[in-house]
Amino acid sequence: MTAALTGFATGFSLILAIGAQNAFVLRQGLLRSHVFWLCLFCAASDALLITAGVAGFGAMVAAAPWLPLVMSLGGAAFLIVYGLTRLIAAWRGGDAMEIGGADHSLWKTLAIAAAFTWANPHVYLDTLGLIGAVSTQYPDWPTRITFGAGAVIASFVFFFGLGYGARFLAPIMRSARAWQVLDLLIGLTMLAIAAKLIAGVL
């Protein structure tokens, strides 16, 4: 139980900060667009990476010193493009959507989520690196698996809570001005993360 709680707390704390992926899930949750499949995809992706980290594949990242540079530049490029689209939407204002509308098809939504997830080097550092490293404090496999399970559960709780909890903000988000503010904040968040990624490799 202690290992499971430690895994839950570790996993939850690593994904709690509002990043590019979380901002996208929040926005789709407000739109009530493909929420279940988006949350399932994000949580399942985390589960796969956490499993790999606990299983010891974090050493692969350390064995490829060029990998952080490639992931950082690729992720930054995607974040800049998406961030600019949100800033343009905020500036125009005409792109505001009614709550319950769908801005993307399911497959396009999942493709964007995949880019936010798998092109983000911090995801690998958090799951393969940090969670994998913390799991090594449990030498026996049953306890280590319990720790990993706790971290996986944290991801499912977080993403489904964020996606479906966003609808409680729906009354506030019915105005075009509120959507402009949200798009502005998301756009600035994306660009800030991109700048941080680039600065980290320069």
Side-chain angles (χ1 to χ4, degrees):
M1 182 60 70
T2 301
L5 291 175
T6 301
F8 186 93
T10 303
F12 201 86
S13 62
L14 289 176
I15 59 176
L16 185 60
I18 293 296
Q21 182 190 49
N22 297 348
F24 182 66
V25 173
L26 175 64
R27 188 172 190 275
Q28 292 301 117
L30 286 167
L31 292 171
R32 300 188 183 185
S33 174
H34 313 302
V35 177
F36 175 80
W37 294 110
L38 175 61
C39 293
L40 180 62
F41 176 85
C42 292
S45 296
D46 260 14
L48 181 61
L49 290 167
I50 289 170
T51 301
V54 172
F57 288 105
M60 293 177 58
V61 177
W66 49 266
L67 197 56
L69 174 62
V70 173
M71 290 191 302
S72 294
L73 294 180
F78 177 79
L79 290 172
I80 289 172
V81 172
Y82 191 84
L84 289 177
T85 62
R86 297 273 49 91
L87 291 180
I88 292 173
W91 179 66
R92 289 177 176 172
D95 292 338
M97 290 163 281
E98 293 294 328
I99 298 296
D103 56 341
H104 298 302
S105 67
L106 172 60
W107 293 113
K108 186 173 182 180
T109 298
L110 293 182
I112 294 174
F116 282 141
T117 302
W118 297 94
N120 180 4
H122 289 297
V123 170
Y124 298 94
L125 295 175
D126 289 347
T127 54
L128 293 177
L130 294 176
I131 292 181
V134 174
S135 71
T136 59
Q137 68 179 296
Y138 302 104
D140 58 300
W141 275 106
T143 309
R144 187 177 297 185
I145 291 173
T146 301
F147 168 85
V152 168
I153 292 173
S155 289
F156 276 86
V157 170
F158 176 82
F159 284 114
F160 278 92
L162 179 63
Y164 284 100
R167 65 183 56 192
F168 293 107
L169 296 175
I172 302 174
M173 299 304 299
R174 292 198 180 277
S175 70
R177 176 66 66 182
W179 275 106
Q180 284 182 282
V181 172
L182 179 65
D183 280 333
L184 176 63
L185 292 176
I186 291 177
L188 292 176
T189 298
M190 305 295 180
L191 295 181
I193 296 173
K196 185 177 181 180
L197 289 177
I198 294 173
V201 298
L202 293 181

